Every structure is written in structure tokens, then in C-alpha cells.
Amino acid sequence: MSETSERKDLIQDIRAIEASDLLASVADVKTAGYRLGQACATKTEGGVELLYSFEKDEILKNLKVSLDEKRPEIQSISGIYWPAFIYENEMHDLFGVTFKNLALDYGGHFFKTAMPTPWNPAAVSAADDGDVDDGAAAAASADDADTVGAADETSVDTDGADEKKGGEA
Amino acid sequence: MPGLKIGKMIMRSLGGKPATLMYPVIPREWTERTRGHISVDMEACILCGICGKKCPTDAITVSRDAKTWSIKRMQCIQCSCCVEVCPKTCLLNEATYTTPAAYKIVDTFEKPEEQGAAANEGSLQCDDTCVFCGICAKKCPQEAITVVRKEKKWEVDDDKCTRCGLCLEGCPKNSLKIE
Amino acid sequence: MAKRTVIPFGPQHPVLPEPIHLDLVIEDETVVEAIPSIGFIHRGLEKLVEKNEWPEMVYVIERICGICSFGHGWGYCKTIEGNLGVAVPPRAEYLRTIWHELGRIHSHLLWLGLLADAFGFESLFMHSWRLRETVLDIFEETTGGRVIFSVCKVGGIRKDVTDEKLAEIAETLNGMIPELEELTEVFLEDLSVKNRLEGVGVLSEDDARELCAVGPVARASGVGADVRLDGHGAYAELGFEPCVEEGGDSMARCRVRVREIFQSIDLIARAAARMPDGAIDVKVKGNPQGEFVGRMEQPRGEAYYYSKGNGSKFLERIRVRTPTNANIPALVKMLQGCDLADVPVLVLTIDPCISCTER
């Protein structure tokens, strides 16, 4: 059996930080050359805990943030690491966590679930924002590309929509 | 020529026999370890129900009143958890698959009548070496044993007890026996 | 200005093994932007921790995906063992490594077949899958199942394999090598295949690092990241170097996977020769408490396994982050600027396993 000193996978480094420090810590991590590994959420008693994992040279660094259960809100890190949009959309759909300034926002329709936020039914984010109404229309006409574009912020989609309307006119 | 590098493989498969088996006309050869379906030896089964509790997909149902052991064939994932936990080793993972059917097969097996009385002979007893640690009560899958440490009370509900013997294995003082 | 149209790709498409939806914004046959959309087969498997106790959760986790099934089983066992602080005996580590590498061979052969199907070369697809059958037969003889094995458990493995059987396996795999070389020569040298793969979907090394690509997608762009370097399993003792290619186009990704097949055969032969004796499992006591983040190198890339326990028989959380999840942003970047006819090939070169992505 290899010695523990060679087993880099057994080294665990999980630190808790405040939600307000998240962007600063992630920017530091990016400058140090780490790569985004994953981001996930866990439902705890009365709250939601987010865990971000970063990796460099087979060593992991994990940052943990605790949020409130009813209105979990935090800044998105997709400005620093663009691929974070996938994990953040998933956390939004399953746990009801609201991310501010998300680069590619699916508005709650990334995953198709039977109820709005199955892991965290106490969350009030989706119902209040009125996204559910747009979403129902979008889900109904799933192969109509315009409605997918309606929820996004990408400029190309709006150009595409304008072009289509221009073409038809 | 730069293209058709696959020419050699094609020539070989034109000449040789097909790579597929004409199943089900020609039956399949099973290996020794193939996880096919679960079979039960009802004569040895004591209807303790531990297999039903451990099954991850709830495919096994054991009824002590009706003296039956039944399994939903299509729900079973052939993981062999039941085979490992059975205290009387009466379950076996056989090497042939369940025959496909157009409905969800449920197989029910009944315990043979003449065995019914003999299997439940004897009862669980605890002698003076007991220290009332309570391990037997925790291990009992039927929750038939009650242990109260302060009052030095140990008692068993004879109707619930299935004589599976899990408590005997767990006792640190070897105070339990079935006779 | 050229006219732009939006074409929906998927979720039903003959070339896709699993449903993924892409909205392709195209300008006269060139793709300008692609917006991915997943969520068609979300099964909510992670939520089953509330119902299944942690020793039985392994059966749920290994059924997340049929192709990378053993990797998921091992990853789950690894994270729970890390949580409990259990050290697995060496023989179990070696056997787990052998099964995992066999899984890699069968997954890459499956992928080669699907790639051939993507550009229409069906007989090549059939030959790849015919060669894969040998590996599936090995699985059935050692574990009992062709696709799902149920052989990994927390604390070790459930079935032992005799040394004679291992020698037989190494010999069978060696016997496959001439046919494999013939098959992979078609993929790497044939003119029609080269026309479809070379120069298509280039991902530069900077992009691969920026977009956090993992697995063969990253290794084909020059990023030498491989989880097997961190010394888990038997890899530290066997010695291991990742296969890295420059170029970042589809042909480079194909080349990385072909090289990995031969590397896996070599790893299995060496592990079978050095197999230590001893027990195959240890008794595990107690329940997981605390957290552990573990990683695994699946055939598609790096997978994360995070477990959190609270001392009871039910885990609080198990989280599996699969490689395709991390490669979707890279896919979006690769699709910009390619032709519409190349889209199926590009979607397949990241080896999408959408059932893993959505669990």
C-alpha cells in the first residue's frame, strides 16, 4: 500500500468563509492558478451550504459558504470562472439559491423537476420573481427557440430574434 | 491506397462465421458467476424477514402470517445483498436470467407445512452472565428484545422472535442461546 | 449581413446516445453560437440518500451511468472510506484498479464505435463493438454482470479473482492487441476519417484551461491533468504518465483515447503480474461523520464525489460531479465557427454522458 505522503487524494482542505468574502476569495484562488472543480449545495437544518472546490496539481481547496434557508442569495462566480454557470443553474433549480449576475441564466428551467425546488421547499425565490409564468409558456413550446432566448442574457439571441422578425416583416 | 484501411477486416468477416449468436434459438452459455436471479430454499427459511429489510429496491416481501416469501423479479437488481445477510444461507444467486415477459413477474413461495412447527422450536433464553448492554436489542430485526439497563431487565417477545440468531452473534458475553 | 436562423439540435437525434438539446444559431451553414440545454433525464438519484442507508447507496450510485459504472461505485466507496478513515487492503486496491481500467477500455471502444457512427461509417462501428464484447465477457466471468457489476463495497470488494484467472485476462487482452491495432489504424489513418476529424473543433490550450475542461478533451489540447496522478488505487505503485497530445482538434481527442486503450491494457498486465496476496475487504464499523471530497478518473474525465454524514445510517448528502458537466462549456466554445454538418461529430468528441450529468 502506498504511503500516505504519496496519497494526495487523502488531503482534505475545507474552509468556511462568509458570503460577502466569496468573490474576493475566488479571485485570489484564480490568480493562484487553480481550476474550478465543482460547486454544490447541501441542505442543512435551517440553511443551505454551498461548497466550491478548486484544484491545482492534484491538491484540492474547498470553500464553504452558509446561507439562509428561505432566501439564499449570493454573488455568482461566473464572472471569474465562466463554467460555473452550469453548477449555479443546477443549484438554483434544485435548492432555490439566487445568484446575482449569472452569466448564462436559464431562469429556473435548466432541469425539469416535478416541483419547483425539490431539495429546499422552504425557498421563496422562484415563486416571487414571476419566472414561473414565463417558464410555463417556455415549457409548453419547448422547440420554439425564441422562448429559450427570452430567458437568456446572451446578445446573439436577441439579435437572432430581431433578425427573424426583420425577415418576416 | 490511402482510403479503405478497413479492407482487411472486411475480407476476414466475409469469410468467417458471424460474430452474433442466434439467440434464443441457440441458448446462451452462462458463466459461473453470472448474477441471474435469486432462488430460495423454503425448507431452510425461517421467515425472519431480514432479506426484505436489506433489499435496496424492496423487491422481497416476507409474510410470517401467511408463511410466504415472495420476490418481484423485475424489481430485483441481483445485488446479492439478501444472499449475504440471510442467517440460514437459504438464498442463492443463480446464473440464469429471468425469462422476459410482458408483465411484472412476482414469484411467491410457501413454506412447506410439515416444517412449520419444527423450525420455531425452542425459544431464546438469556442466562446470568448478561450485563444488560443492549446490543441484542439493537441487532434484532423484529425488535423482539427489550433491555433496560437500570432495572436489569431483559425480556423477549416470543411471538415476534423468528430464531434468526443475529442476537447470539452480537452478544459480547455469549449469554444467549436458543433451545 | 448574412441571415441568421436558429436550429434546434436534439434531444432526439440519431447520433446522440443520450438526450441533450442545443440551440444552434447559424449563419449560412456556419454555427455562430450554441446554447446548451439539459435536464431531460434528471432522475434525482442523489435524493435517494434519504431513503437508502449508506451501505446500500452504492447500488444506486453505480446505476448513474452504464458505461462508467465501476468508476462511480469506486468513487462512492472511496469517499465513504475517506469519511470513515478506513484503509482498504492492497489486493482490493489492485483488483479495483484492474476493473476500472477494463471499464476504460470498454468505454473507449464504445466511444470509437459511436464516433464512427457519427460520421456514417457503420461497419467500423460494428467492428469496434464486436471487439468490445471480449471485454464484456471478461466482466461477466469475474463479476457476474456485463454492464453493472455490484462488486465494489465500502471497505473493499465483494468477489475475489484467482491469480490464474488474472493471468488469463491479461493474455486475452494481449491477444486483442493485433485486432485493436488494425481497428485504430482505420481511425487514425483512413482518408475519409481524416477528412471528418482533422482541424475540426479546435480547442486551444488557453481555452481548455480557462473553461476548466477535463479528461481526454483537456489532454488533447496539451493540458496534462489526470486524476490518476494523485496516487490512489494501485497507480502510484504501477507508475503512470497521462497521454497528452497537442493540436486540440477532434483527431487529437481520438488519438488520446486510442492511446489510453493501449495504456490500460499495459496497466492491467502489470497489475496482474504484481498482484499482492491478502484479504479483499475490511470490516467497517460506525457511521460516516464529517465531510470528504474525493476524485476519480472516469473514462470521460475527472469526477468528484462529495459525501457528508451526520453519524446516522442515512447520509446527509452525496454529490457526484461528472466530467461531461465540466466539458459542456468547452463544447459551447468548440461549436463556435464550425460547420453545421460537424456538429454531431463535435458533440460526440467530448464523449457526452448526459445521464451522468443529470443524475
Side-chain angles (χ1 to χ4, degrees):
Chain A
M1 187 71 177
S2 16
E3 311 299 331
T4 321
S5 56
E6 292 174 17
R7 295 281 309 257
K8 292 188 190 169
D9 58 324
L10 293 176
I11 302 173
Q12 295 286 297
D13 173 12
I14 306 180
R15 14 186 128 172
I17 58 171
E18 294 296 316
S20 44
D21 293 335
L22 178 68
L23 280 184
S25 313
V26 172
D28 287 339
V29 161
K30 173 103 192 242
T31 324
Y34 280 77
R35 174 180 71 84
L36 175 68
Q38 62 107 20
C40 78
T42 309
K43 178 83 182 62
T44 55
E45 284 286 332
V48 177
E49 225 174 59
L50 303 187
L51 183 85
Y52 292 86
S53 302
F54 302 93
E55 183 261 340
K56 180 171 137 181
D57 294 334
E58 283 82 50
I59 308 268
L60 292 175
K61 191 197 272 278
N62 305 294
L63 299 174
K64 203 184 337 182
V65 181
S66 296
L67 299 174
D68 174 52
E69 167 181 67
K70 294 234 169 14
R71 280 201 173 277
E73 276 183 357
I74 195 166
Q75 282 288 338
S76 159
I77 63 169
S78 49
I80 310 173
Y81 284 103
W82 189 65
F85 77 88
I86 292 209
Y87 310 116
E88 293 179 345
N89 273 300
E90 181 189 341
M91 287 195 268
H92 174 75
D93 283 356
L94 295 178
F95 290 83
V97 184
T98 315
F99 290 92
K100 301 188 216 154
N101 307 317
L102 195 56
L104 190 55
D105 192 354
Y106 286 79
H109 303 297
F110 200 47
F111 278 12
K112 286 156 186 55
T113 50
M115 48 193 272
T117 51
W119 284 78
N120 185 10
V124 293
S125 47
D128 282 7
D129 295 349
D131 277 350
V132 175
D133 297 321
D134 290 348
S141 52
D143 55 349
D144 185 355
D146 278 341
T147 48
V148 173
D152 295 0
E153 299 174 14
T154 52
S155 56
V156 174
D157 255 307
T158 41
D159 281 350
D162 287 343
E163 284 290 329
K164 271 181 92 168
K165 290 193 184 107
E168 288 159 24
Chain B
M1 81 186 214
L4 208 64
K5 294 257 182 253
I6 200 179
K8 233 193 313 177
M9 289 178 95
I10 292 185
M11 287 298 143
R12 218 179 308 133
S13 43
L14 277 176
K17 50 188 231 302
T20 49
L21 184 69
M22 258 189 76
Y23 175 86
V25 174
I26 298 181
R28 186 210 208 264
E29 278 171 27
W30 307 99
T31 70
E32 192 194 320
R33 289 192 181 186
T34 302
R35 299 183 348 251
H37 70 274
I38 303 288
S39 68
V40 62
D41 178 5
M42 278 317 280
E43 295 185 4
C45 174
I46 55 172
L47 300 167
C48 62
I50 297 178
C51 52
K53 290 198 172 75
K54 273 292 179 178
C55 178
T57 53
D58 296 333
I60 297 182
T61 322
V62 179
S63 165
R64 284 193 80 202
D65 302 323
K67 290 198 172 32
T68 54
W69 182 97
S70 77
I71 182 169
K72 296 182 197 148
R73 292 285 179 207
M74 270 75 181
Q75 192 103 335
C76 170
I77 57 173
Q78 301 97 28
C79 63
S80 306
C81 268
C82 53
V83 176
E84 282 174 7
V85 298
C86 177
K88 302 293 172 194
T89 53
C90 53
L91 291 168
L92 194 61
N93 201 335
E94 308 260 7
T96 54
Y97 289 168
T98 312
T99 318
Y103 57 94
K104 292 194 177 175
I105 303 179
V106 179
D107 280 339
T108 310
F109 301 91
E110 272 189 12
K111 198 147 165 57
E113 271 308 318
E114 59 275 15
Q115 298 284 331
N120 271 0
E121 252 179 33
S123 55
L124 183 65
Q125 287 158 27
C126 173
D127 62 26
D128 306 327
T129 55
C130 175
V131 291
F132 307 101
C133 60
I135 292 180
C136 53
K138 284 202 188 94
K139 274 190 171 282
C140 179
Q142 312 292 338
E143 293 173 2
I145 305 180
T146 323
V147 175
V148 185
R149 207 155 180 218
K150 291 204 181 91
E151 299 168 23
K152 296 215 189 294
K153 185 169 92 159
W154 182 98
E155 67 181 18
V156 63
D157 181 343
D158 210 44
D159 293 321
K160 282 191 187 167
C161 172
T162 58
R163 285 86 173 150
C164 66
L166 276 186
C167 50
L168 277 92
E169 288 164 18
C171 179
K173 300 289 172 195
N174 286 330
S175 334
L176 296 165
K177 52 183 180 290
I178 297 183
E179 55 189 30
Chain C
M1 187 161 161
K3 185 157 188 288
R4 284 188 175 187
T5 24
V6 182
I7 291 192
F9 177 87
Q12 305 293 342
H13 194 280
V15 92
L16 290 174
E18 279 147 10
I20 183 174
H21 181 79
L22 290 168
D23 279 300
L24 303 168
V25 181
I26 64 167
E27 233 180 51
D28 289 346
E29 289 262 352
T30 313
V31 176
V32 172
E33 180 99 18
I35 299 133
S37 170
I38 63 177
F40 298 95
I41 46 177
H42 176 65
R43 292 164 284 169
L45 291 179
E46 292 173 349
K47 203 151 196 299
L48 282 174
V49 278
E50 297 167 4
K51 178 179 173 280
N52 282 355
E53 299 172 4
W54 62 263
E56 280 134 41
M57 196 63 196
V58 68
Y59 303 112
V60 176
I61 299 290
E62 14 169 63
R63 282 161 173 81
I64 288 182
C65 175
I67 315 174
C68 20
S69 161
F70 189 79
H72 283 310
W74 188 3
Y76 175 82
C77 292
K78 202 150 91 96
T79 180
I80 301 291
E81 283 156 11
N83 220 325
L84 291 167
V86 168
V88 172
R91 192 179 172 90
E93 291 278 26
Y94 268 74
L95 279 170
R96 281 175 172 181
T97 309
I98 288 183
W99 273 316
H100 193 56
E101 290 304 312
L102 278 170
R104 194 181 311 275
I105 297 176
H106 110 85
S107 170
H108 285 330
L109 279 171
L110 186 150
W111 177 79
L112 283 172
L114 291 181
L115 184 70
D117 195 36
F119 46 72
F121 204 152
E122 280 219 23
S123 47
L124 192 56
F125 159 48
M126 296 294 178
H127 279 293
S128 307
W129 281 45
R130 178 179 57 83
L131 286 177
R132 181 179 161 245
E133 286 293 314
T134 323
V135 181
L136 295 183
D137 285 340
I138 294 178
F139 277 135
E140 192 170 4
E141 285 164 17
T142 49
T143 68
R146 280 161 52 97
V147 173
I148 305 283
F149 314 134
S150 297
V151 84
C152 215
K153 72 168 185 195
V154 177
I157 52 177
R158 292 167 85 192
K159 292 195 162 98
D160 201 358
V161 183
T162 58
D163 289 338
E164 293 86 36
K165 185 82 194 160
L166 285 168
E168 202 186 298
I169 292 175
E171 212 184 291
T172 315
L173 290 172
N174 267 330
M176 267 172 76
I177 289 186
E179 277 210 83
L180 277 174
E181 283 178 350
E182 258 181 37
L183 181 81
T184 50
E185 195 197 340
V186 181
F187 275 101
L188 302 176
E189 303 293 329
D190 192 271
L191 185 64
S192 54
V193 176
K194 281 212 266 201
N195 273 336
R196 287 306 299 263
L197 291 183
E198 272 183 0
V200 169
V202 177
L203 190 73
S204 65
E205 187 177 339
D206 291 331
D207 276 338
R209 281 188 207 278
E210 182 70 26
L211 297 167
C212 309
V214 295
V217 175
R219 289 200 279 279
S221 300
V223 178
D226 194 320
V227 180
R228 289 174 278 177
L229 289 171
D230 70 3
H232 68 262
Y235 296 110
E237 289 173 28
L238 292 174
F240 169 79
E241 285 294 325
C243 302
V244 182
E245 290 273 335
E246 311 291 330
D249 61 353
S250 303
M251 184 53 102
R253 292 189 273 276
C254 187
R255 213 184 293 274
V256 166
R257 293 190 175 103
V258 163
R259 279 172 60 189
E260 283 190 351
I261 296 181
F262 291 107
Q263 187 188 44
S264 293
I265 296 183
D266 177 52
L267 275 171
I268 293 174
R270 282 192 286 136
R274 294 172 60 150
M275 178 71 61
D277 292 319
I280 54 170
D281 63 354
V282 289
K283 197 130 174 56
V284 174
K285 288 200 198 332
N287 290 325
Q289 188 121 26
E291 315 173 288
F292 193 88
V293 182
R295 294 193 304 156
M296 208 63 229
E297 179 73 16
Q298 295 277 24
R300 284 154 186 74
E302 163 203 62
Y304 278 79
Y305 297 87
Y306 163 67
S307 67
K308 183 163 185 220
N310 55 10
S312 75
K313 276 206 154 259
F314 296 96
L315 286 176
E316 212 172 295
R317 179 80 161 108
I318 180 79
R319 152 75 170 176
V320 181
R321 192 287 263 148
T322 49
T324 310
N325 219 339
N327 279 336
I328 289 184
L331 172 69
V332 169
K333 184 74 175 51
M334 270 191 250
L335 284 173
Q336 288 171 0
C338 76
D339 281 336
L340 185 61
D342 287 329
V343 171
V345 171
L346 279 181
V347 172
L348 259 168
T349 46
I350 63 160
D351 212 351
C353 187
I354 307 298
S355 43
C356 279
T357 312
E358 300 173 24
R359 294 151 275 116

